[in-house]
Amino acid sequence: MAERSDQKGARIFDYSLWHLLLVCVAASGAGFWVENLFRLVTKGVLDSRHQLFPFLFAYALAIFVLYAVFGTPQRMRFFGVRLLAAQTKANAALRALAYFLLLFFSIFLGEMGFGLLCERVSGVRFWDYSDIPLHVTRYTSVPTCLLFSLGILLLMRFAFEPLMRRLSRMPLSAARPLAIALCALIFADFLVMSVSLYAFKTLPEYWSIRFPWAD
Protein backbone atom coordinates (compact mmCIF):
# COMPACT_ATOMS: atom_id res chain seq x y z
CA MET A 1 0.00 0.00 0.00
CA ALA A 2 2.62 2.52 1.08
CA GLU A 3 5.84 2.68 -0.85
CA ARG A 4 9.08 4.66 -0.71
CA SER A 5 10.31 6.92 -3.49
CA ASP A 6 13.45 9.04 -3.19
CA GLN A 7 11.73 11.97 -4.84
CA LYS A 8 8.20 11.71 -3.52
CA GLY A 9 8.67 10.02 -0.14
CA ALA A 10 6.10 7.73 1.47
CA ARG A 11 2.97 7.29 -0.58
CA ILE A 12 -0.50 5.85 -0.09
CA PHE A 13 -1.47 4.77 -3.60
CA ASP A 14 -1.79 7.96 -5.70
CA TYR A 15 -0.73 10.51 -3.11
CA SER A 16 2.06 11.44 -0.74
CA LEU A 17 1.38 10.29 2.82
CA TRP A 18 2.10 13.76 4.15
CA HIS A 19 -0.29 15.54 1.80
CA LEU A 20 -2.95 12.90 2.55
CA LEU A 21 -2.51 13.53 6.27
CA LEU A 22 -3.07 17.25 5.69
CA VAL A 23 -6.39 16.45 4.01
CA CYS A 24 -7.24 14.27 7.02
CA VAL A 25 -6.49 17.25 9.27
CA ALA A 26 -8.83 19.38 7.17
CA ALA A 27 -11.50 16.69 7.50
CA SER A 28 -11.10 16.63 11.27
CA GLY A 29 -11.61 20.40 11.37
CA ALA A 30 -14.65 20.16 9.09
CA GLY A 31 -16.06 17.39 11.28
CA PHE A 32 -15.77 19.60 14.34
CA TRP A 33 -17.89 22.30 12.73
CA VAL A 34 -20.37 19.90 11.14
CA GLU A 35 -21.10 18.40 14.55
CA ASN A 36 -21.32 21.81 16.15
CA LEU A 37 -23.66 23.19 13.51
CA PHE A 38 -25.87 20.12 13.91
CA ARG A 39 -25.97 20.71 17.67
CA LEU A 40 -26.62 24.41 17.14
CA VAL A 41 -29.68 23.66 15.02
CA THR A 42 -31.04 20.75 17.07
CA LYS A 43 -30.01 21.70 20.61
CA GLY A 44 -29.10 25.38 20.53
CA VAL A 45 -25.56 24.72 21.76
CA LEU A 46 -22.04 25.28 20.45
CA ASP A 47 -19.30 23.65 22.50
CA SER A 48 -15.76 22.30 22.48
CA ARG A 49 -16.84 18.73 21.61
CA HIS A 50 -14.60 17.70 24.53
CA GLN A 51 -11.50 18.88 22.66
CA LEU A 52 -9.11 21.72 23.42
CA PHE A 53 -8.56 22.36 19.69
CA PRO A 54 -11.23 22.51 16.94
CA PHE A 55 -10.41 19.13 15.42
CA LEU A 56 -12.00 15.69 15.86
CA PHE A 57 -9.61 12.77 15.54
CA ALA A 58 -12.32 10.33 14.43
CA TYR A 59 -12.92 12.22 11.17
CA ALA A 60 -9.21 12.30 10.31
CA LEU A 61 -8.91 8.58 10.97
CA ALA A 62 -12.08 7.83 8.98
CA ILE A 63 -10.91 9.67 5.86
CA PHE A 64 -7.46 8.08 6.04
CA VAL A 65 -8.84 4.54 6.36
CA LEU A 66 -11.56 5.16 3.78
CA TYR A 67 -9.08 6.33 1.14
CA ALA A 68 -6.43 3.72 2.01
CA VAL A 69 -8.88 0.81 1.81
CA PHE A 70 -11.57 1.87 -0.67
CA GLY A 71 -10.22 4.81 -2.64
CA THR A 72 -12.71 7.31 -4.03
CA PRO A 73 -16.13 6.81 -5.67
CA GLN A 74 -14.66 7.44 -9.14
CA ARG A 75 -11.69 5.11 -8.54
CA MET A 76 -13.05 2.62 -6.07
CA ARG A 77 -10.89 -0.30 -5.00
CA PHE A 78 -10.33 -2.75 -2.18
CA PHE A 79 -6.75 -2.01 -1.15
CA GLY A 80 -4.93 -2.51 -4.49
CA VAL A 81 -7.73 -4.25 -6.39
CA ARG A 82 -9.81 -1.94 -8.60
CA LEU A 83 -13.58 -2.39 -8.42
CA LEU A 84 -15.83 -1.68 -11.41
CA ALA A 85 -12.84 -0.12 -13.15
CA ALA A 86 -14.44 0.49 -16.57
CA GLN A 87 -15.44 4.16 -16.82
CA THR A 88 -19.03 3.68 -17.93
CA LYS A 89 -22.17 5.42 -16.67
CA ALA A 90 -23.49 2.13 -15.29
CA ASN A 91 -20.28 1.46 -13.38
CA ALA A 92 -20.20 5.03 -12.07
CA ALA A 93 -23.71 4.60 -10.66
CA LEU A 94 -22.83 1.21 -9.17
CA ARG A 95 -19.66 2.58 -7.57
CA ALA A 96 -21.56 5.48 -6.05
CA LEU A 97 -24.23 3.15 -4.68
CA ALA A 98 -21.67 0.69 -3.31
CA TYR A 99 -19.65 3.51 -1.74
CA PHE A 100 -22.77 5.00 -0.15
CA LEU A 101 -23.87 1.65 1.31
CA LEU A 102 -20.35 1.03 2.58
CA LEU A 103 -20.38 4.41 4.30
CA PHE A 104 -23.87 3.92 5.73
CA PHE A 105 -23.19 0.58 7.37
CA SER A 106 -19.71 1.60 8.54
CA ILE A 107 -21.08 4.72 10.23
CA PHE A 108 -24.11 2.86 11.62
CA LEU A 109 -22.07 0.06 13.17
CA GLY A 110 -19.11 2.27 14.10
CA GLU A 111 -21.18 4.84 15.99
CA MET A 112 -23.22 2.23 17.79
CA GLY A 113 -20.23 0.07 18.67
CA PHE A 114 -18.04 2.93 19.88
CA GLY A 115 -20.84 4.56 21.88
CA LEU A 116 -21.85 1.33 23.59
CA LEU A 117 -18.22 0.43 24.32
CA CYS A 118 -17.55 3.82 25.92
CA GLU A 119 -20.70 3.56 28.01
CA ARG A 120 -19.86 0.04 29.14
CA VAL A 121 -16.26 0.84 30.06
CA SER A 122 -16.74 4.28 31.60
CA GLY A 123 -20.45 4.64 32.33
CA VAL A 124 -20.46 7.90 30.35
CA ARG A 125 -23.05 8.53 27.65
CA PHE A 126 -20.91 10.11 24.97
CA TRP A 127 -23.88 11.38 22.89
CA ASP A 128 -27.58 10.65 22.62
CA TYR A 129 -29.75 10.32 19.50
CA SER A 130 -32.77 9.09 21.42
CA ASP A 131 -34.89 12.05 20.30
CA ILE A 132 -34.22 11.32 16.61
CA PRO A 133 -36.71 9.07 14.75
CA LEU A 134 -35.44 5.62 13.74
CA HIS A 135 -32.62 5.68 16.27
CA VAL A 136 -31.00 2.35 17.17
CA THR A 137 -29.68 2.54 20.72
CA ARG A 138 -28.90 6.11 21.73
CA TYR A 139 -25.77 6.18 19.61
CA THR A 140 -26.92 5.89 16.02
CA SER A 141 -29.95 6.50 13.83
CA VAL A 142 -31.00 5.99 10.23
CA PRO A 143 -31.46 9.72 9.43
CA THR A 144 -28.06 10.77 10.80
CA CYS A 145 -26.30 7.89 9.06
CA LEU A 146 -27.98 8.79 5.78
CA LEU A 147 -26.90 12.43 6.09
CA PHE A 148 -23.33 11.60 7.11
CA SER A 149 -23.03 9.02 4.33
CA LEU A 150 -24.30 11.43 1.69
CA GLY A 151 -22.00 14.18 2.94
CA ILE A 152 -18.91 11.98 2.89
CA LEU A 153 -19.83 10.52 -0.50
CA LEU A 154 -20.05 14.03 -1.97
CA LEU A 155 -16.82 15.04 -0.23
CA MET A 156 -14.90 12.06 -1.58
CA ARG A 157 -16.44 12.40 -5.05
CA PHE A 158 -16.09 16.12 -5.64
CA ALA A 159 -13.70 17.65 -3.07
CA PHE A 160 -11.10 15.06 -2.11
CA GLU A 161 -9.14 14.78 -5.36
CA PRO A 162 -9.15 18.54 -6.19
CA LEU A 163 -7.95 19.27 -2.66
CA MET A 164 -5.26 16.60 -2.92
CA ARG A 165 -4.05 18.05 -6.22
CA ARG A 166 -3.75 21.50 -4.68
CA LEU A 167 -2.01 20.29 -1.56
CA SER A 168 0.35 18.14 -3.62
CA ARG A 169 1.91 21.35 -4.90
CA MET A 170 3.24 22.00 -1.40
CA PRO A 171 6.89 20.90 -1.12
CA LEU A 172 7.42 17.81 1.01
CA SER A 173 9.89 19.81 3.08
CA ALA A 174 6.93 21.89 4.27
CA ALA A 175 4.15 19.26 4.16
CA ARG A 176 5.98 16.67 6.26
CA PRO A 177 6.65 18.74 9.42
CA LEU A 178 3.27 20.46 9.17
CA ALA A 179 1.42 17.12 8.91
CA ILE A 180 3.41 15.61 11.78
CA ALA A 181 2.83 18.61 14.05
CA LEU A 182 -0.90 18.89 13.36
CA CYS A 183 -1.55 15.15 13.59
CA ALA A 184 0.40 14.93 16.86
CA LEU A 185 -1.63 17.83 18.24
CA ILE A 186 -4.95 16.25 17.25
CA PHE A 187 -3.99 12.83 18.60
CA ALA A 188 -2.71 14.27 21.90
CA ASP A 189 -6.00 16.15 22.32
CA PHE A 190 -7.93 12.94 21.66
CA LEU A 191 -5.68 11.05 24.10
CA VAL A 192 -6.39 13.57 26.88
CA MET A 193 -10.12 13.12 26.30
CA SER A 194 -9.76 9.32 26.30
CA VAL A 195 -7.78 9.29 29.56
CA SER A 196 -10.34 11.57 31.18
CA LEU A 197 -13.16 9.33 29.96
CA TYR A 198 -11.73 6.00 31.09
CA ALA A 199 -9.75 7.04 34.17
CA PHE A 200 -11.96 9.76 35.63
CA LYS A 201 -15.36 8.83 34.11
CA THR A 202 -15.90 12.30 32.73
CA LEU A 203 -15.41 14.19 29.48
CA PRO A 204 -13.49 17.50 29.31
CA GLU A 205 -15.68 20.55 28.80
CA TYR A 206 -13.54 23.48 27.73
CA TRP A 207 -16.22 25.91 26.57
CA SER A 208 -19.90 26.04 25.70
CA ILE A 209 -22.27 28.67 24.28
CA ARG A 210 -26.00 28.23 24.83
CA PHE A 211 -28.52 30.02 22.63
CA PRO A 212 -32.08 31.04 23.53
CA TRP A 213 -33.61 27.92 21.96
CA ALA A 214 -31.32 25.54 23.87
CA ASP A 215 -32.94 22.56 25.61
Side-chain angles (χ1 to χ4, degrees), residues 9 32-33 62 65 100 103 106 108 137 150 153 158 172 175 192:
F32 177 89
W33 289 110
V65 172
F100 179 83
L103 289 169
S106 297
F108 187 91
T137 74
L150 179 60
L153 174 68
F158 296 106
L172 282 179
V192 168

Side-chain angles (χ1 to χ4, degrees), residues 169-182:
R169 300 171 187 168
M170 181 186 296
L172 282 179
S173 58
R176 184 185 295 109
L178 183 60
I180 291 172
L182 289 173

Side-chain angles (χ1 to χ4, degrees), residues 125-193:
R125 296 179 179 179
F126 213 141
W127 65 90
D128 193 344
Y129 287 166
S130 296
D131 57 347
I132 296 177
L134 301 177
H135 66 89
V136 180
T137 74
R138 61 174 56 89
Y139 296 113
T140 195
S141 75
V142 173
T144 54
C145 286
L146 288 172
L147 288 173
F148 275 119
S149 299
L150 179 60
I152 296 173
L153 174 68
L154 294 175
L155 171 70
M156 295 301 290
R157 173 62 181 86
F158 296 106
F160 179 83
E161 290 192 352
L163 184 56
M164 283 301 313
R165 285 194 294 270
R166 287 181 177 274
L167 280 174
S168 294
R169 300 171 187 168
M170 181 186 296
L172 282 179
S173 58
R176 184 185 295 109
L178 183 60
I180 291 172
L182 289 173
C183 288
L185 188 75
I186 293 168
F187 183 73
D189 202 7
F190 173 76
L191 191 60
V192 168
M193 183 196 70

